[in-house]
Amino acid sequence: MTYPPNAPAAQATAQGTAPAPARPGTVPAQPSGAPASGPPAGRGAWAVGREKLREAATTEPGRLQILGAVLALLVVAFGAVTTLEVTDRGSAADDVVSRSQPLSADAAAVYRSLADADTTAASGFLAGTLEPAESRERYDKDIATAARLLVKAAANTGDASESAREITTLNEQLPRYTGLIERARAANRQGLPLGGAYLRYANQQMTNELLPAAERLYAAETRRLHEDDDAARTWPFLSLGLGLLALAVLAWAQRRNYARTHRVFNQGLLAATAASLVVLIWLLAAHTVARTELNTARAHGQESLQLLNQARISSLTARANENLAVVARGAVLTEDGKNDKYEADYTSSMTALTTALASARELADDDAGRSPVDEAASRTGEWQKRHKAARAEDEAGNFEGALSRIVGAKETTGQSFDQVDAALERALAHEQAEFTRSATDARDALTALPLGAAVLGILGAAGAVLGINRRLSEYR
């Protein structure tokens, strides 16, 4: 008896294939579909923001929002940069008035005090074994002034600065100098010739150590004054550029508004334009005034002060050399051994004095400034004549006659020196007042601008935003 085959087996046999036997413990294979794709890669915030910005730029409300943000940013940036730049220049101008120029003047005063102390010590030595009380008081006052100004300068300079190094040198050398002067006085009161040697050695200490250090201190403080002055007068080009750019974009925005709506005025944009224009004009005017006043302070104050300080220092040096020439009595010669060293130094100092006075007179811009300079020049001429007469007495062997023409209250070179010094002091006071007034005016011209620029910048940005929002309201 035969049985018919199963249908599946028959179908498989008919197709020439046989079903694979199932393995125990395995899962039958499942039909595979299309390969699954992973999740889309995430985009950064910048890419998303850029896409939204691109979409917004395709509609007029979106373009208006972008324009409002740009206008507000430009106006605020203009106000902020103007505030920062003008604050920096105002600070430099304030340093000129209250820090660097006073320190430069104090450094010059240190030099003058030291030189005058040296001159006064020599004059007191020539007066005899008993030094006059006036001479001693003047010497003590000069030393006290120099010490006080050095303390003040040390408090206003950095420890690592060039000025600090010179102040240290002066503080170290000044007690040594005063000690030598006291030894010279003690020997002089006893009538010992050793006093003259101590006095000459003290003068060498002053000439070779103290005065060069004081001169370097003055030069360092003067350089800092020039740096502050240059910083205060530098044009704020970034502020000016941002101001012009803000005005140009505001003008374009209002022209665009007119072209699309035929409305001439947009109050918000007009307010932003007015605020930016006021800041720009204020900036130009204030900085022009500041530069003009600083130029005046430099030309008619700072340069005049330098020349007058040089003249006063030259007069002090000439007087010290004149006194020492009498004290040394030809014992100290020039390097070639042909001339008296102190007399040669006196001649060169008097030449420097007359040259500085001539230059100072050319810079004086009014009669109040020229009058003391003319008087100093006249008294210098008298001084030279009296010195020539004293030298003639000394060369003739009349030491007492020469001494009487140098030391004394009337008709002496000492009187001429005091008159020259008094005239130079008046000239310095006048030029100092001129400098301070011009530099203060320069600083005051910039005082209110930083706050004004900040306030107007904020108001201008608010006006720009309100002006754009007024247009946006038409689309709602």
Side-chain angles (χ1 to χ4, degrees):
M1 182 176 181
T2 60
Y3 297 92
N6 295 330
Q11 185 176 0
T13 303
Q15 295 176 355
T17 60
R23 296 179 181 180
T26 60
V27 179
Q30 301 294 327
S32 60
S37 60
R43 293 178 299 168
W46 174 254
V48 174
R50 186 171 53 187
E51 182 177 343
K52 290 183 178 181
L53 184 64
R54 188 184 301 112
E55 292 175 357
T58 60
T59 63
E60 180 61 14
R63 286 191 289 267
L64 287 174
Q65 289 177 341
I66 295 172
L67 180 59
V70 170
L71 290 175
L73 181 62
L74 271 177
V75 175
V76 168
F78 174 40
V81 172
T82 300
T83 299
L84 292 175
E85 286 198 320
V86 174
T87 299
D88 180 68
R89 282 148 184 78
S91 177
D94 184 66
D95 285 341
V96 169
V97 176
S98 60
R99 185 177 63 90
S100 52
Q101 201 283 325
L103 284 175
S104 177
D106 287 346
V110 168
Y111 192 108
R112 289 196 304 269
S113 298
L114 294 174
D116 189 64
D118 193 52
T119 300
T120 304
S123 299
F125 191 90
L126 288 174
T129 57
L130 186 61
E131 183 180 7
E134 300 83 7
S135 177
R136 182 59 184 257
E137 289 176 1
R138 180 169 177 172
Y139 169 84
D140 291 340
K141 181 180 178 181
D142 286 334
I143 295 298
T145 299
R148 175 178 56 81
L149 292 177
L150 286 174
V151 171
K152 179 181 176 182
N156 290 279
T157 55
D159 294 337
S161 66
E162 181 182 353
S163 297
R165 293 191 295 271
E166 303 304 337
I167 292 170
T168 300
T169 300
L170 289 167
N171 284 327
E172 291 175 351
Q173 297 297 329
L174 187 56
R176 299 175 185 175
Y177 170 80
T178 55
L180 290 171
I181 291 296
E182 293 306 320
R183 291 184 182 183
R185 285 171 172 166
N188 189 44
R189 282 194 295 268
Q190 299 174 33
L192 300 176
L194 189 61
Y198 274 122
L199 183 65
R200 290 194 300 272
Y201 187 55
N203 175 260
Q204 291 176 4
Q205 185 83 4
M206 177 66 72
T207 304
N208 298 332
E209 300 291 340
L210 285 163
L211 292 182
E215 186 175 4
R216 291 192 298 269
L217 175 62
Y218 175 68
E221 294 300 335
T222 301
R223 281 195 299 272
R224 184 158 68 167
L225 171 60
H226 288 162
E227 291 171 0
D228 290 338
D229 183 72
D230 291 340
R233 67 176 64 244
T234 303
W235 279 102
F237 290 110
L238 184 57
S239 297
L240 294 173
L242 278 174
L244 293 174
L245 178 62
L247 286 175
V249 176
L250 283 167
W252 174 82
Q254 291 176 87
R255 183 177 180 277
R256 180 181 183 277
N257 182 61
Y258 172 75
R260 292 176 179 271
T261 65
H262 297 289
R263 295 172 184 171
V264 179
F265 300 114
N266 181 294
Q267 294 179 353
L269 295 180
L270 280 177
T273 303
S276 300
L277 186 60
V278 168
V279 173
L280 185 61
I281 294 175
W282 191 354
L283 175 62
L284 284 169
H287 203 75
T288 300
V289 170
R291 285 177 60 89
T292 301
E293 293 297 337
L294 287 172
N295 288 335
T296 301
R298 173 178 287 186
H300 300 295
Q302 185 176 332
E303 293 179 4
S304 295
L305 286 170
Q306 291 179 0
L307 286 170
L308 291 171
N309 281 322
Q310 180 182 348
R312 199 172 188 189
I313 289 169
S314 297
S315 70
L316 290 164
T317 306
R319 178 59 177 169
N321 287 316
E322 183 180 51
N323 291 334
L324 288 168
V326 179
V327 173
R329 299 186 183 183
V332 183
L333 301 178
T334 55
E335 293 183 358
D336 57 10
K338 297 180 180 180
N339 300 302
D340 187 299
K341 178 184 182 302
Y342 295 119
E343 181 64 21
D345 290 344
Y346 163 84
T347 302
S348 62
S349 296
M350 291 300 287
T351 301
L353 171 60
T354 54
T355 301
L357 287 175
S359 300
R361 192 186 190 285
E362 292 179 0
L363 288 179
D365 57 341
D366 55 14
D367 292 337
R370 283 187 290 268
S371 177
V373 176
D374 289 339
E375 183 179 351
S378 175
R379 299 300 184 184
T380 299
E382 292 179 2
W383 182 2
Q384 290 174 313
K385 292 178 181 178
R386 292 174 178 176
H387 177 81
K388 186 176 181 180
R391 289 296 299 169
E393 293 284 353
D394 191 31
E395 291 174 358
N398 185 6
F399 175 76
E400 294 298 332
L403 187 61
S404 65
R405 292 178 180 273
I406 292 176
V407 180
K410 295 181 179 180
E411 302 296 326
T412 62
T413 59
Q415 182 188 32
S416 297
F417 163 73
D418 288 337
Q419 291 169 341
V420 170
D421 192 66
L424 288 173
E425 186 173 3
R426 292 196 301 272
L428 281 165
H430 173 76
E431 296 301 331
Q432 180 67 52
E434 289 284 314
F435 178 90
T436 302
R437 180 169 59 253
S438 297
T440 301
D441 290 342
R443 179 191 61 186
D444 293 344
L446 301 173
T447 299
L449 180 54
L451 179 60
V455 172
L456 289 173
I458 294 173
L459 293 177
V465 172
L466 290 175
I468 295 299
N469 285 342
R470 180 64 181 269
R471 285 281 293 117
L472 283 173
S473 65
E474 299 171 0
Y475 290 89
R476 296 170 185 168

